[in-house]
Amino acid sequence: MLDRSLIGRRLPSHNSQVERGQLQFFAKATGASDPIYYDRAAAIEAGHPDIPAPPTFAFTLNQQSDDPFGFLRLLGVNIEDILHGEQEFTYFSQIYAGDQVTFESEIKDIYVKKGGALEFVVLQISGTNQHGEKVVELRNTTVVRRAEHAQ
Amino acid sequence: MTDRCSVSKGDGVIGCLTKEPITRTTLALFAGASGDHNPMHIDIDFAKEAGMPDVFAHGMLSMAYLGQLVTGWRPQAQLKRFKVRFRSITHVGEAVVCTGRVIETKRDEKGEVAILKLVAANKLGEIKLDGEAEVRW
């Protein structure tokens, strides 16, 4: 069983640079067809200051810490035992190439289903840009599969 | 390459997006571009060691596809909230088909908001992700 006393634990904050080249690579890797996501001129033409980060890119920015799976170590979980359960984003403002986003994370919940075979860890993460403006909030739910309980 | 599939525009349907079948190259590129280097998605030796028959797609890849469906319908600045549940694993070789429809509308202090129901499935209709989005319109 995961240690529920870790609920409320804050993880080290970190800062991510939003790089235009990485946004272009992300657009290519996901087969984006709208040029505002890979062509700066098209983005500017559409009224943006630069290439916008697509809706799920804040997850990528948050992964760019030195230790993106550090919370698993804290919980004593191996990476091969996890699945992504749910993912939620709440948007307050658009993130653009050139921004810097600071992420603050907290273990919001830990709960069990299926008699302990599946445990769930919920991280709540907020992202604030270089102007001190909260731009996004994420809720990441990770499922931990416990082989010794699985039937 | 992607193509827009034809669906009837009735019942609040916002559209449909069929992506190319997922290859190992897709997963390698997405691992690099997304920063998710979990070896379960890119290293078949690691996946087999962990008891899986093969690598499988990142859930966030299909969520990115669903995001493309939504931003193809309304500009991203109008997107307020986006949530999915990862229901089953997407395998190498499967093509993800994204569909969405407006299930209700509500008003808040800034105007009207559409609640979308979103589904990503394979070509057999087996659900991989489902979720919701709230979009101003």
Side-chain angles (χ1 to χ4, degrees):
Chain A
M1 296 284 283
L2 300 177
D3 179 3
R4 297 192 79 245
S5 74
L6 291 168
I7 295 171
R9 176 74 71 94
R10 292 179 174 279
L11 305 174
S13 72
H14 68 96
N15 191 272
S16 290
Q17 176 74 38
V18 185
E19 294 169 0
R20 193 184 301 139
Q22 196 186 358
L23 288 171
Q24 290 166 324
F25 184 19
F26 191 91
K28 178 184 178 184
T30 56
S33 57
D34 185 342
I36 68 164
Y37 293 108
Y38 54 83
D39 178 348
R40 184 164 182 264
I44 288 171
E45 177 110 350
H48 299 283
D50 207 313
I51 293 177
T56 61
F57 197 75
F59 186 89
T60 284
L61 292 171
N62 182 55
Q63 292 259 6
Q64 284 173 357
S65 76
D66 294 336
D67 190 15
F69 297 110
F71 76 102
L72 296 179
R73 209 167 42 252
L74 188 66
L75 290 157
V77 168
N78 296 321
I79 196 165
E80 61 265 32
D81 292 333
I82 63 163
L83 287 172
H84 204 162
E86 294 183 8
Q87 184 62 45
E88 180 170 5
F89 298 88
T90 305
Y91 304 101
F92 305 100
S93 187
Q94 179 65 60
I95 299 170
Y96 288 106
D99 283 353
Q100 294 236 16
V101 183
T102 302
F103 290 94
E104 310 264 358
S105 308
E106 179 185 336
I107 298 177
K108 201 69 184 169
D109 200 5
I110 296 172
Y111 56 94
V112 176
K113 283 188 184 171
K114 298 196 177 174
L118 296 177
E119 295 184 273
F120 294 76
V121 182
V122 180
L123 297 184
Q124 186 167 299
I125 302 154
S126 84
T128 305
N129 70 13
Q130 68 276 20
H131 308 298
E133 184 184 10
K134 182 168 174 175
V135 287
V136 68
E137 189 167 283
L138 297 84
R139 241 177 119 83
N140 303 7
T141 304
T142 299
V143 184
V144 181
R145 300 176 297 170
R146 294 293 196 175
E148 65 269 31
H149 287 93
Q151 293 297 319
Chain B
M1 286 294 293
T2 56
D3 65 271
R4 302 233 159 224
C5 23
S6 59
V7 286
S8 89
K9 289 284 177 186
D11 293 332
V13 169
I14 66 162
C16 170
L17 180 64
T18 301
K19 302 297 292 190
E20 289 287 309
I22 288 169
T23 65
R24 294 170 201 285
T25 302
T26 316
L27 300 182
L29 289 176
F30 188 71
S34 73
D36 184 343
H37 302 161
N38 183 342
M40 203 64 120
H41 304 299
I42 43 180
D43 183 339
I44 191 170
D45 301 330
F46 184 93
K48 284 186 168 169
E49 192 78 11
M52 301 299 293
D54 198 353
V55 296
F56 54 92
H58 305 76
M60 291 305 291
L61 175 60
S62 292
M63 191 173 187
Y65 293 161
L66 279 175
Q68 291 170 357
L69 175 72
V70 175
T71 59
W73 178 65
R74 288 290 185 273
Q76 191 181 331
Q78 290 168 233
L79 178 60
K80 288 163 48 74
R81 199 176 70 84
F82 183 20
K83 176 181 181 174
V84 301
R85 287 165 293 275
F86 300 98
R87 298 272 300 272
S88 64
I89 283 171
T90 303
H91 301 284
V92 172
E94 290 189 304
V96 175
V97 181
C98 300
T99 53
R101 63 190 178 91
V102 179
I103 53 166
E104 63 172 290
T105 60
K106 64 177 188 182
R107 290 196 72 82
D108 68 7
E109 68 286 357
K110 289 185 189 160
E112 202 168 4
V113 178
I115 315 289
L116 307 182
K117 166 90 176 152
L118 301 168
V119 175
N122 65 10
K123 289 203 163 173
L124 301 173
E126 294 164 349
I127 294 177
K128 305 296 184 178
L129 282 69
D130 63 13
E132 303 88 45
E134 292 183 21
V135 182
R136 288 197 182 286
W137 66 339

mmCIF file with all atom_site columns, all heavy atoms in Angstrom, chain A residues 34-59:
data_model
loop_
_atom_site.group_PDB
_atom_site.id
_atom_site.type_symbol
_atom_site.label_atom_id
_atom_site.label_alt_id
_atom_site.label_comp_id
_atom_site.label_asym_id
_atom_site.label_entity_id
_atom_site.label_seq_id
_atom_site.pdbx_PDB_ins_code
_atom_site.Cartn_x
_atom_site.Cartn_y
_atom_site.Cartn_z
_atom_site.occupancy
_atom_site.B_iso_or_equiv
_atom_site.pdbx_formal_charge
_atom_site.auth_seq_id
_atom_site.auth_comp_id
_atom_site.auth_asym_id
_atom_site.auth_atom_id
_atom_site.pdbx_PDB_model_num
ATOM 1   N N   . ASP A 1 34 ? -2.416 22.374 -38.446 1.00 0.00 ? 34 ASP A N   1
ATOM 2   C CA  . ASP A 1 34 ? -2.616 23.822 -38.385 1.00 0.00 ? 34 ASP A CA  1
ATOM 3   C C   . ASP A 1 34 ? -1.255 24.508 -38.279 1.00 0.00 ? 34 ASP A C   1
ATOM 4   O O   . ASP A 1 34 ? -0.534 24.318 -37.292 1.00 0.00 ? 34 ASP A O   1
ATOM 5   C CB  . ASP A 1 34 ? -3.487 24.148 -37.157 1.00 0.00 ? 34 ASP A CB  1
ATOM 6   C CG  . ASP A 1 34 ? -3.856 25.621 -37.084 1.00 0.00 ? 34 ASP A CG  1
ATOM 7   O OD1 . ASP A 1 34 ? -3.197 26.446 -37.745 1.00 0.00 ? 34 ASP A OD1 1
ATOM 8   O OD2 . ASP A 1 34 ? -4.818 25.939 -36.353 1.00 0.00 ? 34 ASP A OD2 1
ATOM 9   N N   . PRO A 1 35 ? -0.879 25.333 -39.293 1.00 0.00 ? 35 PRO A N   1
ATOM 10  C CA  . PRO A 1 35 ? 0.475  25.911 -39.301 1.00 0.00 ? 35 PRO A CA  1
ATOM 11  C C   . PRO A 1 35 ? 0.794  26.840 -38.130 1.00 0.00 ? 35 PRO A C   1
ATOM 12  O O   . PRO A 1 35 ? 1.974  27.077 -37.865 1.00 0.00 ? 35 PRO A O   1
ATOM 13  C CB  . PRO A 1 35 ? 0.545  26.659 -40.638 1.00 0.00 ? 35 PRO A CB  1
ATOM 14  C CG  . PRO A 1 35 ? -0.858 26.792 -41.103 1.00 0.00 ? 35 PRO A CG  1
ATOM 15  C CD  . PRO A 1 35 ? -1.639 25.668 -40.498 1.00 0.00 ? 35 PRO A CD  1
ATOM 16  N N   . ILE A 1 36 ? -0.213 27.353 -37.413 1.00 0.00 ? 36 ILE A N   1
ATOM 17  C CA  . ILE A 1 36 ? 0.136  28.232 -36.270 1.00 0.00 ? 36 ILE A CA  1
ATOM 18  C C   . ILE A 1 36 ? 0.964  27.485 -35.237 1.00 0.00 ? 36 ILE A C   1
ATOM 19  O O   . ILE A 1 36 ? 1.667  28.095 -34.455 1.00 0.00 ? 36 ILE A O   1
ATOM 20  C CB  . ILE A 1 36 ? -1.097 28.862 -35.565 1.00 0.00 ? 36 ILE A CB  1
ATOM 21  C CG1 . ILE A 1 36 ? -1.941 27.811 -34.834 1.00 0.00 ? 36 ILE A CG1 1
ATOM 22  C CG2 . ILE A 1 36 ? -1.925 29.679 -36.539 1.00 0.00 ? 36 ILE A CG2 1
ATOM 23  C CD1 . ILE A 1 36 ? -2.921 28.423 -33.834 1.00 0.00 ? 36 ILE A CD1 1
ATOM 24  N N   . TYR A 1 37 ? 0.896  26.124 -35.255 1.00 0.00 ? 37 TYR A N   1
ATOM 25  C CA  . TYR A 1 37 ? 1.626  25.327 -34.254 1.00 0.00 ? 37 TYR A CA  1
ATOM 26  C C   . TYR A 1 37 ? 3.064  25.001 -34.675 1.00 0.00 ? 37 TYR A C   1
ATOM 27  O O   . TYR A 1 37 ? 3.796  24.396 -33.902 1.00 0.00 ? 37 TYR A O   1
ATOM 28  C CB  . TYR A 1 37 ? 0.850  24.059 -33.913 1.00 0.00 ? 37 TYR A CB  1
ATOM 29  C CG  . TYR A 1 37 ? -0.439 24.380 -33.183 1.00 0.00 ? 37 TYR A CG  1
ATOM 30  C CD1 . TYR A 1 37 ? -1.681 24.236 -33.795 1.00 0.00 ? 37 TYR A CD1 1
ATOM 31  C CD2 . TYR A 1 37 ? -0.410 24.876 -31.879 1.00 0.00 ? 37 TYR A CD2 1
ATOM 32  C CE1 . TYR A 1 37 ? -2.863 24.568 -33.145 1.00 0.00 ? 37 TYR A CE1 1
ATOM 33  C CE2 . TYR A 1 37 ? -1.584 25.205 -31.211 1.00 0.00 ? 37 TYR A CE2 1
ATOM 34  C CZ  . TYR A 1 37 ? -2.798 25.050 -31.843 1.00 0.00 ? 37 TYR A CZ  1
ATOM 35  O OH  . TYR A 1 37 ? -3.961 25.393 -31.186 1.00 0.00 ? 37 TYR A OH  1
ATOM 36  N N   . TYR A 1 38 ? 3.451  25.366 -35.932 1.00 0.00 ? 38 TYR A N   1
ATOM 37  C CA  . TYR A 1 38 ? 4.851  25.119 -36.307 1.00 0.00 ? 38 TYR A CA  1
ATOM 38  C C   . TYR A 1 38 ? 5.480  26.257 -37.120 1.00 0.00 ? 38 TYR A C   1
ATOM 39  O O   . TYR A 1 38 ? 6.690  26.270 -37.312 1.00 0.00 ? 38 TYR A O   1
ATOM 40  C CB  . TYR A 1 38 ? 5.016  23.783 -37.044 1.00 0.00 ? 38 TYR A CB  1
ATOM 41  C CG  . TYR A 1 38 ? 4.123  23.582 -38.254 1.00 0.00 ? 38 TYR A CG  1
ATOM 42  C CD1 . TYR A 1 38 ? 4.475  24.103 -39.489 1.00 0.00 ? 38 TYR A CD1 1
ATOM 43  C CD2 . TYR A 1 38 ? 2.929  22.881 -38.132 1.00 0.00 ? 38 TYR A CD2 1
ATOM 44  C CE1 . TYR A 1 38 ? 3.656  23.918 -40.593 1.00 0.00 ? 38 TYR A CE1 1
ATOM 45  C CE2 . TYR A 1 38 ? 2.094  22.697 -39.232 1.00 0.00 ? 38 TYR A CE2 1
ATOM 46  C CZ  . TYR A 1 38 ? 2.457  23.217 -40.460 1.00 0.00 ? 38 TYR A CZ  1
ATOM 47  O OH  . TYR A 1 38 ? 1.647  23.044 -41.542 1.00 0.00 ? 38 TYR A OH  1
ATOM 48  N N   . ASP A 1 39 ? 4.673  27.200 -37.592 1.00 0.00 ? 39 ASP A N   1
ATOM 49  C CA  . ASP A 1 39 ? 5.192  28.266 -38.451 1.00 0.00 ? 39 ASP A CA  1
ATOM 50  C C   . ASP A 1 39 ? 4.945  29.614 -37.762 1.00 0.00 ? 39 ASP A C   1
ATOM 51  O O   . ASP A 1 39 ? 3.800  30.038 -37.617 1.00 0.00 ? 39 ASP A O   1
ATOM 52  C CB  . ASP A 1 39 ? 4.462  28.182 -39.804 1.00 0.00 ? 39 ASP A CB  1
ATOM 53  C CG  . ASP A 1 39 ? 4.891  29.266 -40.777 1.00 0.00 ? 39 ASP A CG  1
ATOM 54  O OD1 . ASP A 1 39 ? 5.576  30.227 -40.372 1.00 0.00 ? 39 ASP A OD1 1
ATOM 55  O OD2 . ASP A 1 39 ? 4.514  29.150 -41.959 1.00 0.00 ? 39 ASP A OD2 1
ATOM 56  N N   . ARG A 1 40 ? 6.042  30.258 -37.337 1.00 0.00 ? 40 ARG A N   1
ATOM 57  C CA  . ARG A 1 40 ? 5.902  31.502 -36.568 1.00 0.00 ? 40 ARG A CA  1
ATOM 58  C C   . ARG A 1 40 ? 5.160  32.571 -37.364 1.00 0.00 ? 40 ARG A C   1
ATOM 59  O O   . ARG A 1 40 ? 4.337  33.309 -36.801 1.00 0.00 ? 40 ARG A O   1
ATOM 60  C CB  . ARG A 1 40 ? 7.296  31.994 -36.162 1.00 0.00 ? 40 ARG A CB  1
ATOM 61  C CG  . ARG A 1 40 ? 7.278  33.229 -35.290 1.00 0.00 ? 40 ARG A CG  1
ATOM 62  C CD  . ARG A 1 40 ? 8.620  33.461 -34.604 1.00 0.00 ? 40 ARG A CD  1
ATOM 63  N NE  . ARG A 1 40 ? 8.548  34.630 -33.750 1.00 0.00 ? 40 ARG A NE  1
ATOM 64  C CZ  . ARG A 1 40 ? 8.940  35.847 -34.140 1.00 0.00 ? 40 ARG A CZ  1
ATOM 65  N NH1 . ARG A 1 40 ? 9.436  36.034 -35.340 1.00 0.00 ? 40 ARG A NH1 1
ATOM 66  N NH2 . ARG A 1 40 ? 8.825  36.863 -33.306 1.00 0.00 ? 40 ARG A NH2 1
ATOM 67  N N   . ALA A 1 41 ? 5.440  32.643 -38.672 1.00 0.00 ? 41 ALA A N   1
ATOM 68  C CA  . ALA A 1 41 ? 4.778  33.666 -39.495 1.00 0.00 ? 41 ALA A CA  1
ATOM 69  C C   . ALA A 1 41 ? 3.265  33.434 -39.524 1.00 0.00 ? 41 ALA A C   1
ATOM 70  O O   . ALA A 1 41 ? 2.475  34.386 -39.431 1.00 0.00 ? 41 ALA A O   1
ATOM 71  C CB  . ALA A 1 41 ? 5.353  33.654 -40.908 1.00 0.00 ? 41 ALA A CB  1
ATOM 72  N N   . ALA A 1 42 ? 2.859  32.158 -39.632 1.00 0.00 ? 42 ALA A N   1
ATOM 73  C CA  . ALA A 1 42 ? 1.423  31.847 -39.642 1.00 0.00 ? 42 ALA A CA  1
ATOM 74  C C   . ALA A 1 42 ? 0.792  32.185 -38.300 1.00 0.00 ? 42 ALA A C   1
ATOM 75  O O   . ALA A 1 42 ? -0.354 32.660 -38.238 1.00 0.00 ? 42 ALA A O   1
ATOM 76  C CB  . ALA A 1 42 ? 1.214  30.366 -39.973 1.00 0.00 ? 42 ALA A CB  1
ATOM 77  N N   . ALA A 1 43 ? 1.538  31.940 -37.210 1.00 0.00 ? 43 ALA A N   1
ATOM 78  C CA  . ALA A 1 43 ? 1.018  32.256 -35.871 1.00 0.00 ? 43 ALA A CA  1
ATOM 79  C C   . ALA A 1 43 ? 0.815  33.761 -35.731 1.00 0.00 ? 43 ALA A C   1
ATOM 80  O O   . ALA A 1 43 ? -0.225 34.219 -35.235 1.00 0.00 ? 43 ALA A O   1
ATOM 81  C CB  . ALA A 1 43 ? 1.984  31.736 -34.795 1.00 0.00 ? 43 ALA A CB  1
ATOM 82  N N   . ILE A 1 44 ? 1.798  34.530 -36.191 1.00 0.00 ? 44 ILE A N   1
ATOM 83  C CA  . ILE A 1 44 ? 1.707  35.996 -36.088 1.00 0.00 ? 44 ILE A CA  1
ATOM 84  C C   . ILE A 1 44 ? 0.556  36.507 -36.951 1.00 0.00 ? 44 ILE A C   1
ATOM 85  O O   . ILE A 1 44 ? -0.241 37.346 -36.517 1.00 0.00 ? 44 ILE A O   1
ATOM 86  C CB  . ILE A 1 44 ? 3.070  36.634 -36.451 1.00 0.00 ? 44 ILE A CB  1
ATOM 87  C CG1 . ILE A 1 44 ? 4.056  36.346 -35.300 1.00 0.00 ? 44 ILE A CG1 1
ATOM 88  C CG2 . ILE A 1 44 ? 2.938  38.139 -36.710 1.00 0.00 ? 44 ILE A CG2 1
ATOM 89  C CD1 . ILE A 1 44 ? 5.489  36.705 -35.578 1.00 0.00 ? 44 ILE A CD1 1
ATOM 90  N N   . GLU A 1 45 ? 0.445  35.935 -38.140 1.00 0.00 ? 45 GLU A N   1
ATOM 91  C CA  . GLU A 1 45 ? -0.653 36.292 -39.045 1.00 0.00 ? 45 GLU A CA  1
ATOM 92  C C   . GLU A 1 45 ? -2.013 36.065 -38.379 1.00 0.00 ? 45 GLU A C   1
ATOM 93  O O   . GLU A 1 45 ? -2.956 36.817 -38.584 1.00 0.00 ? 45 GLU A O   1
ATOM 94  C CB  . GLU A 1 45 ? -0.551 35.423 -40.306 1.00 0.00 ? 45 GLU A CB  1
ATOM 95  C CG  . GLU A 1 45 ? -1.653 35.624 -41.305 1.00 0.00 ? 45 GLU A CG  1
ATOM 96  C CD  . GLU A 1 45 ? -1.149 36.311 -42.569 1.00 0.00 ? 45 GLU A CD  1
ATOM 97  O OE1 . GLU A 1 45 ? 0.001  36.789 -42.578 1.00 0.00 ? 45 GLU A OE1 1
ATOM 98  O OE2 . GLU A 1 45 ? -1.906 36.347 -43.527 1.00 0.00 ? 45 GLU A OE2 1
ATOM 99  N N   . ALA A 1 46 ? -2.095 35.007 -37.545 1.00 0.00 ? 46 ALA A N   1
ATOM 100 C CA  . ALA A 1 46 ? -3.360 34.678 -36.867 1.00 0.00 ? 46 ALA A CA  1
ATOM 101 C C   . ALA A 1 46 ? -3.540 35.474 -35.565 1.00 0.00 ? 46 ALA A C   1
ATOM 102 O O   . ALA A 1 46 ? -4.471 35.209 -34.806 1.00 0.00 ? 46 ALA A O   1
ATOM 103 C CB  . ALA A 1 46 ? -3.410 33.177 -36.580 1.00 0.00 ? 46 ALA A CB  1
ATOM 104 N N   . GLY A 1 47 ? -2.621 36.414 -35.311 1.00 0.00 ? 47 GLY A N   1
ATOM 105 C CA  . GLY A 1 47 ? -2.805 37.293 -34.163 1.00 0.00 ? 47 GLY A CA  1
ATOM 106 C C   . GLY A 1 47 ? -2.052 36.888 -32.900 1.00 0.00 ? 47 GLY A C   1
ATOM 107 O O   . GLY A 1 47 ? -2.256 37.473 -31.836 1.00 0.00 ? 47 GLY A O   1
ATOM 108 N N   . HIS A 1 48 ? -1.170 35.889 -33.020 1.00 0.00 ? 48 HIS A N   1
ATOM 109 C CA  . HIS A 1 48 ? -0.394 35.444 -31.851 1.00 0.00 ? 48 HIS A CA  1
ATOM 110 C C   . HIS A 1 48 ? 0.970  36.132 -31.839 1.00 0.00 ? 48 HIS A C   1
ATOM 111 O O   . HIS A 1 48 ? 1.505  36.469 -32.891 1.00 0.00 ? 48 HIS A O   1
ATOM 112 C CB  . HIS A 1 48 ? -0.184 33.921 -31.919 1.00 0.00 ? 48 HIS A CB  1
ATOM 113 C CG  . HIS A 1 48 ? -1.449 33.136 -31.911 1.00 0.00 ? 48 HIS A CG  1
ATOM 114 N ND1 . HIS A 1 48 ? -2.188 32.923 -30.775 1.00 0.00 ? 48 HIS A ND1 1
ATOM 115 C CD2 . HIS A 1 48 ? -2.136 32.529 -32.922 1.00 0.00 ? 48 HIS A CD2 1
ATOM 116 C CE1 . HIS A 1 48 ? -3.264 32.211 -31.071 1.00 0.00 ? 48 HIS A CE1 1
ATOM 117 N NE2 . HIS A 1 48 ? -3.257 31.959 -32.372 1.00 0.00 ? 48 HIS A NE2 1
ATOM 118 N N   . PRO A 1 49 ? 1.574  36.290 -30.644 1.00 0.00 ? 49 PRO A N   1
ATOM 119 C CA  . PRO A 1 49 ? 2.918  36.888 -30.590 1.00 0.00 ? 49 PRO A CA  1
ATOM 120 C C   . PRO A 1 49 ? 4.012  35.929 -31.063 1.00 0.00 ? 49 PRO A C   1
ATOM 121 O O   . PRO A 1 49 ? 5.090  36.360 -31.468 1.00 0.00 ? 49 PRO A O   1
ATOM 122 C CB  . PRO A 1 49 ? 3.105  37.238 -29.113 1.00 0.00 ? 49 PRO A CB  1
ATOM 123 C CG  . PRO A 1 49 ? 2.169  36.330 -28.382 1.00 0.00 ? 49 PRO A CG  1
ATOM 124 C CD  . PRO A 1 49 ? 1.013  36.081 -29.305 1.00 0.00 ? 49 PRO A CD  1
ATOM 125 N N   . ASP A 1 50 ? 3.738  34.626 -31.006 1.00 0.00 ? 50 ASP A N   1
ATOM 126 C CA  . ASP A 1 50 ? 4.716  33.611 -31.426 1.00 0.00 ? 50 ASP A CA  1
ATOM 127 C C   . ASP A 1 50 ? 3.940  32.307 -31.539 1.00 0.00 ? 50 ASP A C   1
ATOM 128 O O   . ASP A 1 50 ? 2.711  32.302 -31.430 1.00 0.00 ? 50 ASP A O   1
ATOM 129 C CB  . ASP A 1 50 ? 5.862  33.498 -30.397 1.00 0.00 ? 50 ASP A CB  1
ATOM 130 C CG  . ASP A 1 50 ? 7.170  33.010 -31.028 1.00 0.00 ? 50 ASP A CG  1
ATOM 131 O OD1 . ASP A 1 50 ? 7.139  32.025 -31.799 1.00 0.00 ? 50 ASP A OD1 1
ATOM 132 O OD2 . ASP A 1 50 ? 8.223  33.617 -30.756 1.00 0.00 ? 50 ASP A OD2 1
ATOM 133 N N   . ILE A 1 51 ? 4.634  31.186 -31.737 1.00 0.00 ? 51 ILE A N   1
ATOM 134 C CA  . ILE A 1 51 ? 3.954  29.890 -31.833 1.00 0.00 ? 51 ILE A CA  1
ATOM 135 C C   . ILE A 1 51 ? 3.324  29.548 -30.467 1.00 0.00 ? 51 ILE A C   1
ATOM 136 O O   . ILE A 1 51 ? 4.013  29.585 -29.454 1.00 0.00 ? 51 ILE A O   1
ATOM 137 C CB  . ILE A 1 51 ? 4.957  28.794 -32.257 1.00 0.00 ? 51 ILE A CB  1
ATOM 138 C CG1 . ILE A 1 51 ? 5.429  29.060 -33.706 1.00 0.00 ? 51 ILE A CG1 1
ATOM 139 C CG2 . ILE A 1 51 ? 4.357  27.411 -32.140 1.00 0.00 ? 51 ILE A CG2 1
ATOM 140 C CD1 . ILE A 1 51 ? 6.479  28.082 -34.193 1.00 0.00 ? 51 ILE A CD1 1
ATOM 141 N N   . PRO A 1 52 ? 2.015  29.243 -30.446 1.00 0.00 ? 52 PRO A N   1
ATOM 142 C CA  . PRO A 1 52 ? 1.395  28.856 -29.177 1.00 0.00 ? 52 PRO A CA  1
ATOM 143 C C   . PRO A 1 52 ? 1.710  27.400 -28.814 1.00 0.00 ? 52 PRO A C   1
ATOM 144 O O   . PRO A 1 52 ? 1.908  26.563 -29.697 1.00 0.00 ? 52 PRO A O   1
ATOM 145 C CB  . PRO A 1 52 ? -0.106 29.024 -29.444 1.00 0.00 ? 52 PRO A CB  1
ATOM 146 C CG  . PRO A 1 52 ? -0.274 28.905 -30.921 1.00 0.00 ? 52 PRO A CG  1
ATOM 147 C CD  . PRO A 1 52 ? 1.038  29.298 -31.562 1.00 0.00 ? 52 PRO A CD  1
ATOM 148 N N   . ALA A 1 53 ? 1.760  27.129 -27.516 1.00 0.00 ? 53 ALA A N   1
ATOM 149 C CA  . ALA A 1 53 ? 1.888  25.744 -27.048 1.00 0.00 ? 53 ALA A CA  1
ATOM 150 C C   . ALA A 1 53 ? 0.527  25.079 -27.208 1.00 0.00 ? 53 ALA A C   1
ATOM 151 O O   . ALA A 1 53 ? -0.481 25.632 -26.775 1.00 0.00 ? 53 ALA A O   1
ATOM 152 C CB  . ALA A 1 53 ? 2.312  25.724 -25.592 1.00 0.00 ? 53 ALA A CB  1
ATOM 153 N N   . PRO A 1 54 ? 0.445  23.891 -27.834 1.00 0.00 ? 54 PRO A N   1
ATOM 154 C CA  . PRO A 1 54 ? -0.859 23.230 -27.992 1.00 0.00 ? 54 PRO A CA  1
ATOM 155 C C   . PRO A 1 54 ? -1.420 22.775 -26.632 1.00 0.00 ? 54 PRO A C   1
ATOM 156 O O   . PRO A 1 54 ? -0.711 22.815 -25.620 1.00 0.00 ? 54 PRO A O   1
ATOM 157 C CB  . PRO A 1 54 ? -0.546 22.058 -28.917 1.00 0.00 ? 54 PRO A CB  1
ATOM 158 C CG  . PRO A 1 54 ? 0.913  21.807 -28.770 1.00 0.00 ? 54 PRO A CG  1
ATOM 159 C CD  . PRO A 1 54 ? 1.535  23.128 -28.438 1.00 0.00 ? 54 PRO A CD  1
ATOM 160 N N   . PRO A 1 55 ? -2.687 22.331 -26.610 1.00 0.00 ? 55 PRO A N   1
ATOM 161 C CA  . PRO A 1 55 ? -3.382 22.144 -25.326 1.00 0.00 ? 55 PRO A CA  1
ATOM 162 C C   . PRO A 1 55 ? -2.703 21.209 -24.316 1.00 0.00 ? 55 PRO A C   1
ATOM 163 O O   . PRO A 1 55 ? -2.845 21.421 -23.111 1.00 0.00 ? 55 PRO A O   1
ATOM 164 C CB  . PRO A 1 55 ? -4.744 21.575 -25.738 1.00 0.00 ? 55 PRO A CB  1
ATOM 165 C CG  . PRO A 1 55 ? -4.964 22.097 -27.117 1.00 0.00 ? 55 PRO A CG  1
ATOM 166 C CD  . PRO A 1 55 ? -3.613 22.160 -27.755 1.00 0.00 ? 55 PRO A CD  1
ATOM 167 N N   . THR A 1 56 ? -2.002 20.175 -24.795 1.00 0.00 ? 56 THR A N   1
ATOM 168 C CA  . THR A 1 56 ? -1.411 19.229 -23.832 1.00 0.00 ? 56 THR A CA  1
ATOM 169 C C   . THR A 1 56 ? 0.064  19.523 -23.546 1.00 0.00 ? 56 THR A C   1
ATOM 170 O O   . THR A 1 56 ? 0.701  18.773 -22.807 1.00 0.00 ? 56 THR A O   1
ATOM 171 C CB  . THR A 1 56 ? -1.520 17.777 -24.347 1.00 0.00 ? 56 THR A CB  1
ATOM 172 O OG1 . THR A 1 56 ? -0.798 17.669 -25.584 1.00 0.00 ? 56 THR A OG1 1
ATOM 173 C CG2 . THR A 1 56 ? -2.963 17.367 -24.562 1.00 0.00 ? 56 THR A CG2 1
ATOM 174 N N   . PHE A 1 57 ? 0.601  20.597 -24.124 1.00 0.00 ? 57 PHE A N   1
ATOM 175 C CA  . PHE A 1 57 ? 2.044  20.811 -24.027 1.00 0.00 ? 57 PHE A CA  1
ATOM 176 C C   . PHE A 1 57 ? 2.510  21.146 -22.605 1.00 0.00 ? 57 PHE A C   1
ATOM 177 O O   . PHE A 1 57 ? 3.682  20.926 -22.269 1.00 0.00 ? 57 PHE A O   1
ATOM 178 C CB  . PHE A 1 57 ? 2.492  21.896 -25.015 1.00 0.00 ? 57 PHE A CB  1
ATOM 179 C CG  . PHE A 1 57 ? 3.972  21.905 -25.271 1.00 0.00 ? 57 PHE A CG  1
ATOM 180 C CD1 . PHE A 1 57 ? 4.568  20.941 -26.078 1.00 0.00 ? 57 PHE A CD1 1
ATOM 181 C CD2 . PHE A 1 57 ? 4.793  22.872 -24.687 1.00 0.00 ? 57 PHE A CD2 1
ATOM 182 C CE1 . PHE A 1 57 ? 5.934  20.936 -26.306 1.00 0.00 ? 57 PHE A CE1 1
ATOM 183 C CE2 . PHE A 1 57 ? 6.162  22.873 -24.916 1.00 0.00 ? 57 PHE A CE2 1
ATOM 184 C CZ  . PHE A 1 57 ? 6.738  21.902 -25.727 1.00 0.00 ? 57 PHE A CZ  1
ATOM 185 N N   . ALA A 1 58 ? 1.609  21.646 -21.762 1.00 0.00 ? 58 ALA A N   1
ATOM 186 C CA  . ALA A 1 58 ? 2.013  21.939 -20.378 1.00 0.00 ? 58 ALA A CA  1
ATOM 187 C C   . ALA A 1 58 ? 2.472  20.658 -19.673 1.00 0.00 ? 58 ALA A C   1
ATOM 188 O O   . ALA A 1 58 ? 3.325  20.705 -18.780 1.00 0.00 ? 58 ALA A O   1
ATOM 189 C CB  . ALA A 1 58 ? 0.866  22.584 -19.609 1.00 0.00 ? 58 ALA A CB  1
ATOM 190 N N   . PHE A 1 59 ? 1.927  19.514 -20.074 1.00 0.00 ? 59 PHE A N   1
ATOM 191 C CA  . PHE A 1 59 ? 2.371  18.229 -19.495 1.00 0.00 ? 59 PHE A CA  1
ATOM 192 C C   . PHE A 1 59 ? 3.844  17.999 -19.837 1.00 0.00 ? 59 PHE A C   1
ATOM 193 O O   . PHE A 1 59 ? 4.633  17.570 -19.004 1.00 0.00 ? 59 PHE A O   1
ATOM 194 C CB  . PHE A 1 59 ? 1.494  17.102 -20.039 1.00 0.00 ? 59 PHE A CB  1
ATOM 195 C CG  . PHE A 1 59 ? 1.768  15.749 -19.414 1.00 0.00 ? 59 PHE A CG  1
ATOM 196 C CD1 . PHE A 1 59 ? 1.100  15.352 -18.270 1.00 0.00 ? 59 PHE A CD1 1
ATOM 197 C CD2 . PHE A 1 59 ? 2.699  14.887 -19.977 1.00 0.00 ? 59 PHE A CD2 1
ATOM 198 C CE1 . PHE A 1 59 ? 1.347  14.111 -17.693 1.00 0.00 ? 59 PHE A CE1 1
ATOM 199 C CE2 . PHE A 1 59 ? 2.954  13.642 -19.406 1.00 0.00 ? 59 PHE A CE2 1
ATOM 200 C CZ  . PHE A 1 59 ? 2.281  13.251 -18.264 1.00 0.00 ? 59 PHE A CZ  1
#
